[in-house]
Amino acid sequence: MADVPKPEELAKIDHSLSPWQGWMNAPTEIREGIACYGVAPKNTRIVDFPNPREWSPFDEDWKLPENWKEIVLDGLRERIDRFRSLKIFMDICVRCGACADKCHFFIGSGDPKNMPVLRAELLRSVYRKEFTTAGKIMGMFAGARELTYDVLKEWWSYFFQCTECRRCSVFCPYGIDTAEITIIARELLNLLGLNIDWIGAPVANCYRTGNHLGIQPHAYKDMIDFFVDEIEEVTGVKVEPSFNRKGAEILFITPSGDVFADPGTYTCMGYLILFHYLQSLGLDITWSTYASEGGNFGYFTSHEMAKRLNAKMYAEAKRLGVKWILGGECGHMWRVINQYMDTFNGPADFLEEPVSPITGTKFENAKSTRMVHITEFTADLIKHGKLKLDPSRNDNLVVTFHDSCNPARGMGLIEEPRYIIRNVCNHFFEMPENTIREQTFCCGSGSGLNAGEDMELRMRGGLARANAVKYVHERHGVNMLACVCAIDRAVFPDLMQYWVPEVGVTGVHELVGNALILDGEKERTTDLRNEPLPGVEIEEEE
């Protein structure tokens, strides 16, 4: 992050807005540090997306087809006809500004076009000009404008400065889902091949190999086997996961980030320890090396691509003949499953309504999708007294919890992670109330923006969350930020190192893995990170 301004410089933000400045004519700045690289043609071709070519958003010429304007307007017309919600969102906004200061990108940048109301207006103004009588007649007096090359570049810049977190929607008195407007705008840009590579590459990889990283099945298994050895070193117990086993009761699917990226790898070890613990209680579960990704970057591209990638999990469940699916700690995986599965690929009638084989609990909320979030599953186990836990093993941690946007706002998964944390940790403190639960701030790098080349944008976007973490760090000594999203676990280490370097990052099930007492385990001296357990380092010094 050598090119990112120092935190004290980045924190100097001017939020004052000149009432005389017209936003329609304000130039758009696309520069290094706040923009991602354009999608590579090889990734575009793999999934048959339009206009594959080498291009850069920093160049003047974006190499568009000659009829690019016609393509975009036809695409907008089609979506207005197809999605009634979009037309409503275009028509009913009164620009009250209730959402203006709710966006972490506006808070972190001071750029008025990052206010959700104005970002949506970038699309809405073209809609008015092309699809409303008032806009056609009155033009700018009705808030309408032509779709020009500069306007298109403005769209690209600001719709890729939105993480689709939906915090603004919580505060909208009309219930406008501004994230849906961003989704549609990105679909329109994608019609011209104007995606970013940090989205295009994971989409192409997932389509080819089943996961965002393009990892082949044998490499996936090799990594899990490595975790098995690490767990044995820490606990003295050899866990034995199964892969691609037909006839298992449950299929487990988690984001590939948990398998290949720290600190998600420790969360994955927590899953393995939990499943081993439950085998003697009747858990019959298998992993897939083919549907090896819970996340869905297709959701940041188009509804159709999200549908295609979501289908792979259910195709694998049908191939293996399982009864239901257990899903790991992921973000956008759960918004897609919870809010879109039924219209994308479901309902999954070939599977059974999920019932815990350990407690007998029927997960009513998964009646249609047949997928249960692992924190629901684990919280239920704890509630029924099925887990032997030693929370003192996490006594070196003072934990706070980040509500990941999609599970919290998109799924309503709010209390279950907290219930688990309170049972596996002795020191837990909440961040300020207006920054958590339904009002949670975003990590600042979701929806495909967690690239390396837009680090300034990411640090600005994560400022609001970092401020809340800094508050509980200074007030309560918090030194660990827990979350239930693989993107968060990938994003937060850099964000914390930049804004609050004293705070680490963990998944909830890493904490579970540390606290679980396994039959036949040796006396533990380290946690899953091979760091000394509380008190052990003192004994070693003596």
Side-chain angles (χ1 to χ4, degrees):
M1 291 193 289
D3 296 332
V4 180
K6 299 295 183 183
E8 56 271 20
E9 299 173 18
L10 205 66
K12 296 176 182 177
I13 305 161
D14 182 10
H15 290 96
S16 61
L17 304 176
S18 169
W20 307 110
Q21 183 180 12
W23 66 266
M24 284 192 184
N25 298 315
T28 300
E29 181 184 34
I30 299 176
R31 62 175 175 83
E32 299 278 355
I34 64 169
C36 294
Y37 298 144
V39 62
K42 65 176 183 178
N43 295 319
T44 305
R45 291 189 182 99
I46 285 172
V47 290
D48 297 321
F49 280 159
N51 197 22
R53 81 279 185 214
E54 294 287 350
W55 74 285
S56 170
F58 308 112
D59 292 341
E60 186 67 28
D61 182 8
W62 283 8
K63 303 177 182 177
L64 302 181
E66 290 185 4
N67 63 333
W68 67 265
K69 183 174 180 179
E70 179 184 353
I71 292 172
V72 171
L73 293 179
D74 286 347
L76 180 55
R77 181 178 295 104
E78 176 190 342
R79 284 156 180 79
I80 289 170
D81 292 340
R82 180 180 175 190
F83 301 115
R84 184 166 176 257
S85 58
L86 176 61
K87 189 173 190 314
I88 291 172
F89 295 159
M90 290 291 99
D91 288 335
I92 67 172
C93 177
V94 295
R95 275 82 70 202
C96 69
C99 65
D101 60 346
K102 308 307 186 296
C103 177
H104 45 280
F105 283 116
F106 175 64
I107 292 171
S109 70
D111 187 337
K113 291 183 184 179
N114 270 326
M115 295 188 295
V117 58
L118 188 43
R119 188 187 296 112
E121 202 72 7
L122 304 181
L123 178 63
R124 192 177 281 117
S125 58
V126 173
Y127 161 79
R128 289 197 192 97
K129 178 65 177 178
E130 298 294 335
F131 299 100
T132 69
T133 302
K136 290 176 180 177
I137 296 174
M138 301 179 65
M140 291 183 63
F141 292 103
R145 61 176 179 166
E146 296 278 354
L147 176 60
T148 65
Y149 207 84
D150 287 340
V151 168
L152 187 75
K153 290 187 173 183
E154 184 181 53
W155 281 11
W156 187 92
S157 177
Y158 287 98
F159 287 117
F160 285 105
Q161 291 186 59
C162 171
T163 51
E164 304 173 12
C165 81
R166 303 172 72 235
R167 188 173 193 265
C168 51
S169 303
V170 173
F171 298 91
C172 177
Y174 290 90
I176 296 172
D177 191 342
T178 308
E180 293 286 345
I181 297 175
T182 292
I183 290 168
I184 294 298
R186 288 191 181 185
E187 285 197 15
L188 298 176
L189 292 167
N190 198 63
L191 295 176
L192 303 177
L194 293 177
N195 215 312
I196 62 175
D197 206 51
W198 200 248
I199 292 175
V203 166
N205 286 337
C206 200
Y207 188 69
R208 287 188 306 110
T209 69
N211 60 72
H212 292 157
L213 302 176
I215 304 299
Q216 299 291 336
H218 65 278
Y220 188 91
K221 183 180 182 299
D222 286 347
M223 197 64 189
I224 299 293
D225 288 342
F226 172 76
F227 296 155
V228 169
D229 293 338
E230 289 289 297
I231 290 168
E232 186 174 15
E233 183 178 335
V234 171
T235 67
V237 175
K238 184 84 168 180
V239 304
E240 297 179 345
S242 76
F243 300 93
N244 309 318
R245 180 165 53 86
K246 291 188 176 183
E249 180 179 0
I250 302 168
L251 170 62
F252 179 66
I253 298 178
T254 197
S256 56
D258 284 349
V259 182
F260 293 98
D262 292 345
T265 51
Y266 307 114
T267 300
C268 194
M269 292 184 203
Y271 302 149
L272 290 163
I273 291 172
L274 176 65
F275 298 159
H276 175 83
Y277 181 100
L278 296 174
Q279 281 177 357
S280 62
L281 300 179
L283 183 72
D284 181 19
I285 194 165
T286 192
W287 299 58
S288 172
T289 60
Y290 300 103
S292 50
E293 180 64 65
N296 194 329
F297 269 57
Y299 183 59
F300 310 137
T301 302
S302 70
H303 289 84
E304 287 70 25
M305 195 68 235
K307 177 180 178 178
R308 289 162 73 182
L309 297 188
N310 185 67
K312 72 184 184 303
M313 299 187 293
Y314 288 90
E316 182 69 343
K318 181 177 287 189
R319 184 182 77 87
L320 295 178
V322 300
K323 292 182 179 178
W324 55 278
I325 306 172
L326 181 65
E329 296 182 16
C330 184
H332 39 82
M333 168 187 187
W334 287 103
R335 188 179 177 202
V336 170
I337 292 298
N338 195 61
Q339 297 191 328
Y340 292 90
M341 167 59 190
D342 279 355
T343 52
F344 277 178
N345 309 107
D349 292 335
F350 63 93
L351 296 172
E352 297 181 9
E353 187 173 345
V355 176
S356 172
I358 315 300
T359 66
T361 297
K362 183 178 288 188
F363 296 98
E364 298 282 353
N365 61 307
K367 188 174 183 178
S368 177
T369 65
R370 308 315 205 238
M371 284 191 71
V372 175
H373 194 287
I374 195 165
T375 58
E376 299 175 279
F377 182 70
T378 302
D380 176 65
L381 293 168
I382 295 173
K383 179 181 178 181
H384 286 86
K386 299 298 183 181
L387 302 183
K388 291 183 289 185
L389 300 166
D390 180 2
S392 70
R393 291 176 177 170
N394 289 312
D395 274 355
N396 57 323
L397 306 178
V398 183
V399 181
T400 192
F401 179 67
H402 164 73
D403 291 277
S404 303
C405 301
N406 285 312
R409 276 190 286 268
M411 188 184 181
L413 192 78
I414 291 173
E415 297 306 328
E416 291 88 345
R418 290 176 167 82
Y419 182 76
I420 295 171
I421 293 172
R422 289 191 175 100
N423 278 277
V424 299
C425 297
N426 289 319
H427 310 295
F428 174 70
F429 296 95
E430 293 277 19
M431 286 180 275
E433 193 63 30
N434 64 340
T435 72
I436 59 174
R437 293 184 166 86
E438 291 88 348
Q439 297 185 37
T440 185
F441 275 112
C442 179
C443 67
S445 303
S447 78
L449 301 187
N450 58 322
E453 64 268 19
D454 65 334
M455 197 61 76
E456 180 184 333
L457 177 71
R458 289 172 52 184
M459 295 305 104
R460 289 187 181 279
L463 172 61
R465 171 47 77 221
N467 273 343
V469 174
K470 186 174 183 179
Y471 174 84
V472 289
H473 167 68
E474 294 177 347
R475 190 178 182 90
H476 302 295
V478 163
N479 61 11
M480 187 60 75
L481 175 62
C483 56
V484 289
C485 173
I487 295 296
D488 289 335
R489 287 190 287 278
V491 163
F492 277 140
D494 284 335
L495 188 73
M496 292 299 105
Q497 185 60 37
Y498 185 80
W499 290 113
V500 200
E502 304 85 356
V503 178
V505 181
T506 182
V508 169
H509 276 79
E510 177 185 346
L511 305 175
V512 173
N514 284 337
L516 262 176
I517 302 172
L518 301 175
D519 289 340
E521 70 176 19
K522 69 179 185 181
E523 182 179 356
R524 292 204 207 177
T525 58
T526 68
D527 60 17
L528 293 177
R529 303 189 184 198
N530 277 313
E531 296 174 354
L533 289 178
V536 173
E537 64 271 27
I538 298 175
E539 293 175 7
E540 289 178 347
E541 289 173 2
E542 294 175 351

